[in-house]
Amino acid sequence: MTDLPIRPGFWNIPMWAEIAVYVIGLAAVLFCAWGIFQAVRLWKAGQPKALPQDAKRRWLGLWRDGFMHRRLLKTPAGVMHFGIFWGFVFLFFGTAIATLDWDVGLLMFGQQFLKGNLYLVYKLVLDIAGVLCLAGLIWAFVRRFVWQKKVLERSARFAWVLGSLIFIILTGFAVEGTRLAVQQPEWAVYSPVGLLFAKMFMCMFTDEQLIGIHLVIWLIHGFASLAFVAAIPCTYFAHLFKAPTNLYWRKLTPKGRLDKIEDIEEQERFGVSEFDQFNWKQRLDFDACTECGRCTEVCPAVKVGAPLDPRSMVKQLKDRLHNPSDKQLVGEIVDKDALWSCTTCGACAQACPVRIDLPTAIVDMRRHLALEEGDFPAGMANALQNTQTVGNPWGMDPADRLDWAKDLDLPIATEGQHVDYLYWVGCSASYDRRAQKIARAMVKILRAANVSFAVMQEERCHGDFARRAGEEYTFQLAAMENIENLSKYSFKHIVAHCPHCFNTLKNEYPQFEGGAFSVVNHTKLIHELISAGRLKLDAQVSERVVFHDPCYLARYNDIVGTPRKIMDNIKGLKRVESIERGKTAMCCGAGGGQMWMESNTKRINFVRLGELRKSASTVAVSCPHCLTMFESAMNEDKVLQGMDIVELAELVARAIEDKKEA
């Protein structure tokens, strides 16, 4: 044996076994490639869907979410998967390097490069990678089958998934251990796990026995590894290529934007009523599901016992993708009540490690129910009719839209007169008495900071709730009317205090001609005014306050820190946090048209407010819908009574020194 550390290659392996490995290995790779090809064909069988070709953003996103596990590392399970993933990455490249060392380096050029210190580092890194994988797999097995904190599928399928990988790694260590036990090289310490196995084997077997055992284990390990490669496309392991593909082709347009139905008046079919109507990206979405259940964990509908279970829904759609049938999509494959239980809060999409956009698929199926069948939950039809006829879901007189400001001498937008900000009040703050206080607070703030602003007399509902409910026709009529009216006036920015108004005007209206405006949320404007010294918050507001993040502000538009910075500028106010906050905050239950539906999801507001109460009795919101939902919960639940629900603009208005009183 040479004194120079060098990779031994096919030590103790007869020629027939070497040939068999190459032949079976080639067959396994071809079988795997064929399976991947078939999967791609299955995705492409869907309807066409054009996606932005921004390669830089896509590769960067794949690196962050796929390789660095940005969305997973916040949980112990995510750390576990990170260890398994990177362990296998190093083992895979270790195998590839070994192949190059022998088949290219030695056989083609007569010189191996895995030798000396390079070989020792190589062995140490692979041992560490193997331990990392093994620890993660054992943890995963115990977590699923022994000690569960959440409901995970306990089946032979997952036992085989985890058990087969554990078996491959253990047999790999055993192969190394039997070889080291026979050769006993001086550098064996650089294979610490292999050395541990070697010492165990030396106590049990003779050298002659170890040589025979090594060959048997090598054959078992080699063929098990090749079987794993061949099985990737047709087993749970398919997520090894499906998940990265879905991450690469993730949505790059604004999170809250839905696809526009072009030439809607000329269409004969709307939405998705049959599985074959899903586009190729949606089929890839379903197929990429890893069944981890993170979507179900965070779904507000699940927390109140509503019919919707995101994981089950995606799994049903995935099963239909692979097993075509004559079953009706809505009604037999997907429960209709489950579709109407969704608040479109985006929590499932935010939690999903492979970025499955389930809310969009749900809205597509709702479009079929709404536009083809006219099938709505109780309450929704009236809200839609009111929006179409009088421009607001309450059915209130459009002439009364500005009654909340009769005593404020409110500046009204006029053609030819320029203002810096057009204040979009929204329906809630225009007609709901409690929400009107938000609009009055905003006027006080804008005037205190000497901001040039006006409101638009012709303002009407922007149609967000209709679009989320699948009634695209009502939404498009509202959008075109609002865009036409907005285009009459001269302003730099639109400012909206309602996240639904903000998201719609900022992300949805640009789909229409002339609909691209500069839109800011009131939290951003208020913070800018404070930072610039234009807004002085001198009054004391001595309260302990917890902030609730609206879905359409935090998850859909990434505005999390700004509201908190505003609160931190208010003298005397002590800001505290709830466990679920920021992009992981639970929905109030109003989104997706739920505000107007009679459904079980109305109980979501009770659950969320109960969670917030654990942190503070005063809750700050930055959405009139959240305000309404929490006020309703507080008034109906004796346990929650006595809490103070306040909008952020109201808090700021309280902190502005009233000059008359001073």
Side-chain angles (χ1 to χ4, degrees):
M1 181 172 59
T2 178
D3 292 333
L4 178 68
I6 188 168
R7 181 176 172 272
F10 288 101
W11 178 83
N12 191 42
I13 307 302
M15 183 59 67
W16 65 264
E18 290 187 37
I19 295 172
V21 164
Y22 282 109
V23 172
I24 297 174
L26 179 61
V29 170
L30 291 175
F31 189 85
C32 180
W34 176 252
I36 294 173
F37 173 73
Q38 292 298 322
V40 173
R41 284 186 61 188
L42 198 60
W43 307 334
K44 287 188 173 182
Q47 298 299 313
K49 167 71 175 176
L51 295 177
Q53 300 291 323
D54 192 336
K56 183 178 179 180
R57 284 181 65 191
R58 293 196 177 283
W59 282 114
L60 183 60
L62 176 58
W63 171 256
R64 289 175 175 174
D65 288 342
F67 288 87
M68 299 312 297
H69 285 48
R70 180 175 54 175
R71 294 191 170 196
L72 294 178
L73 286 178
K74 297 176 183 179
T75 64
V79 174
M80 170 196 72
H81 192 276
F82 184 80
I84 296 173
F85 172 80
W86 275 106
F88 267 102
V89 167
F90 277 98
L91 291 175
F92 171 79
F93 281 106
T95 303
I97 291 171
T99 302
L100 292 174
D101 172 68
W102 189 263
D103 296 339
V104 178
L106 182 62
L107 299 182
M108 293 181 65
F109 297 100
Q111 186 70 35
Q112 290 182 251
F113 57 83
L114 282 179
K115 57 186 177 181
N117 291 335
L118 178 61
Y119 174 63
L120 298 181
V121 172
Y122 168 84
K123 291 303 299 178
L124 181 60
V125 169
L126 290 191
D127 261 36
I128 294 172
V131 170
L132 203 60
C133 273
L134 193 59
L137 290 167
I138 292 173
W139 182 2
F141 192 92
V142 171
R143 178 173 171 267
R144 183 175 292 272
F145 292 99
V146 180
W147 181 62
Q148 285 196 16
K149 277 194 172 182
K150 66 174 186 177
V151 179
L152 295 170
E153 181 182 330
R154 289 177 170 175
S155 64
R157 178 171 67 119
F158 277 100
W160 177 83
V161 166
L162 297 172
S164 61
L165 295 179
I166 292 172
F167 178 79
I168 289 172
I169 293 175
L170 285 177
T171 53
F173 280 134
V175 169
E176 180 73 354
T178 51
R179 183 182 64 81
L180 292 177
V182 175
Q183 290 188 320
Q184 298 184 31
E186 294 179 3
W187 52 84
V189 67
Y190 287 93
S191 295
V193 182
L195 182 58
L196 184 65
F197 273 78
K199 290 181 177 180
M200 179 181 66
F201 290 145
M202 287 190 313
C203 295
M204 300 169 60
F205 307 103
T206 65
D207 284 356
E208 186 177 345
Q209 290 173 325
L210 286 171
I211 290 174
I213 292 171
H214 172 271
L215 176 59
V216 172
I217 298 177
W218 186 92
L219 291 171
I220 293 172
H221 172 74
F223 294 134
S225 300
L226 295 176
F228 165 75
V229 172
I232 286 175
C234 52
T235 62
Y236 180 79
F237 297 123
H239 77 277
L240 291 173
F241 70 90
K242 292 177 181 178
T245 304
N246 205 51
L247 286 171
Y248 179 84
W249 289 111
R250 71 195 185 283
K251 188 174 184 177
L252 295 183
T253 54
K255 298 176 188 176
R257 178 181 293 176
L258 296 170
D259 289 340
K260 177 187 176 185
I261 299 178
E262 300 290 348
D263 303 319
I264 191 168
E265 293 185 350
E266 299 176 11
Q267 301 299 322
E268 296 182 357
R269 302 189 69 177
F270 302 93
V272 174
S273 59
E274 299 174 0
F275 188 86
D276 290 341
Q277 291 176 307
F278 283 118
N279 62 55
W280 72 265
K281 177 57 175 66
Q282 289 173 317
R283 292 164 73 101
L284 172 57
D285 264 358
F286 307 148
D287 210 18
C289 178
T290 63
E291 303 175 37
C292 66
R294 287 177 174 83
C295 53
T296 295
E297 285 181 23
V298 299
C299 179
V302 172
K303 293 183 179 181
V304 297
L308 175 63
D309 182 334
R311 176 172 58 180
S312 295
M313 181 177 288
V314 175
K315 194 174 178 182
Q316 289 162 349
L317 293 168
K318 183 176 183 177
D319 290 342
R320 170 59 183 81
L321 175 66
H322 290 277
N323 302 289
S325 69
D326 294 329
K327 288 184 178 180
Q328 188 176 352
L329 177 62
V330 180
E332 294 183 323
I333 297 175
V334 176
D335 181 54
K336 184 171 67 174
D337 291 335
L339 292 178
W340 291 120
S341 296
C342 178
T343 66
T344 66
C345 68
C348 58
Q350 178 66 36
C352 180
V354 297
R355 295 199 178 226
I356 295 172
D357 186 10
L358 182 59
T360 297
I362 287 176
V363 171
D364 280 342
M365 288 182 276
R366 283 182 173 183
R367 283 175 170 175
H368 157 67
L369 294 174
L371 297 173
E372 289 190 16
E373 298 186 5
D375 189 349
F376 300 102
M380 177 57 69
N382 287 336
L384 290 168
Q385 185 176 6
N386 290 335
T387 302
Q388 292 168 358
T389 55
V390 294
N392 66 84
W394 279 274
M396 304 292 284
D397 189 342
D400 299 336
R401 196 171 190 94
L402 296 179
D403 282 0
W404 60 273
K406 282 183 177 180
D407 59 332
L408 296 180
D409 190 23
L410 200 64
I412 308 298
T414 56
E415 294 185 45
Q417 182 179 359
H418 180 79
V419 293
D420 289 337
Y421 290 91
L422 182 70
Y423 175 32
W424 185 276
V425 182
C427 296
S428 290
S430 296
Y431 296 111
D432 182 87
R433 291 196 174 188
R434 174 61 187 89
Q436 286 174 353
K437 295 179 181 179
I438 304 173
R440 296 180 68 87
M442 277 300 299
V443 172
K444 181 178 180 180
I445 291 167
L446 294 171
R447 282 183 165 155
N450 197 27
V451 173
S452 168
F453 78 99
V455 298
M456 187 173 72
Q457 179 75 52
E458 305 94 325
E459 181 187 307
R460 57 154 295 162
C461 177
H462 49 70
D464 166 75
F465 84 93
R467 186 171 227 194
R468 307 290 156 179
E471 229 296 0
E472 177 77 0
Y473 187 76
T474 298
F475 166 75
Q476 292 200 15
L477 288 177
M480 289 185 287
E481 183 177 338
N482 279 323
I483 291 170
E484 182 180 357
N485 289 327
L486 287 167
S487 299
K488 298 176 185 177
Y489 305 110
S490 175
F491 52 85
K492 286 184 180 178
H493 314 283
I494 298 174
V495 59
H497 66 253
C498 172
H500 296 264
C501 299
F502 168 65
N503 181 72
T504 304
L505 294 169
K506 180 177 183 289
N507 296 325
E508 309 273 4
Y509 276 19
Q511 294 177 314
F512 298 85
E513 184 178 356
F517 302 99
S518 173
V519 187
V520 297
N521 179 256
H522 74 316
T523 60
K524 180 181 178 182
L525 175 59
I526 291 171
H527 182 252
E528 288 178 351
L529 295 174
I530 295 172
S531 300
R534 296 177 61 183
L535 190 61
K536 305 292 185 181
L537 305 183
D538 298 322
Q540 289 278 337
V541 180
S542 301
E543 290 187 66
R544 178 185 171 91
V545 184
V546 59
F547 182 69
H548 163 76
D549 293 270
C551 306
Y552 280 70
L553 201 63
R555 274 191 287 274
Y556 279 2
N557 288 283
D558 302 317
I559 299 176
V560 175
T562 304
R564 289 166 170 80
K565 291 177 182 177
I566 293 172
M567 294 173 68
D568 292 342
N569 275 281
I570 299 176
K571 295 179 180 179
L573 186 147
K574 183 179 180 181
R575 177 174 61 83
V576 295
E577 295 285 3
S578 63
I579 295 176
E580 293 182 348
R581 59 186 180 274
K583 294 182 181 181
T584 63
M586 181 181 174
C587 177
C588 74
Q594 298 295 333
M595 187 92 169
W596 312 104
M597 299 181 199
E598 297 176 11
S599 64
N600 290 333
T601 50
K602 280 290 183 73
R603 303 296 299 180
I604 291 173
N605 52 345
F606 291 80
V607 175
R608 177 54 177 162
L609 189 57
E611 290 178 352
L612 293 167
R613 187 176 181 273
K614 296 175 183 177
S615 300
S617 59
T618 300
V619 178
V621 300
S622 56
C623 173
H625 290 343
C626 297
L627 180 72
T628 299
M629 296 300 285
F630 290 155
E631 289 275 359
S632 174
M634 185 179 66
N635 293 332
E636 294 180 35
D637 192 327
K638 293 181 180 180
V639 176
L640 300 175
Q641 286 178 2
M643 295 183 69
D644 185 17
I645 316 298
V646 59
E647 211 277 341
L648 193 58
E650 295 178 281
L651 274 179
V652 174
R654 292 179 191 177
I656 298 174
E657 196 82 64
D658 195 314
K659 295 180 180 179
K660 292 182 180 179
E661 292 181 5

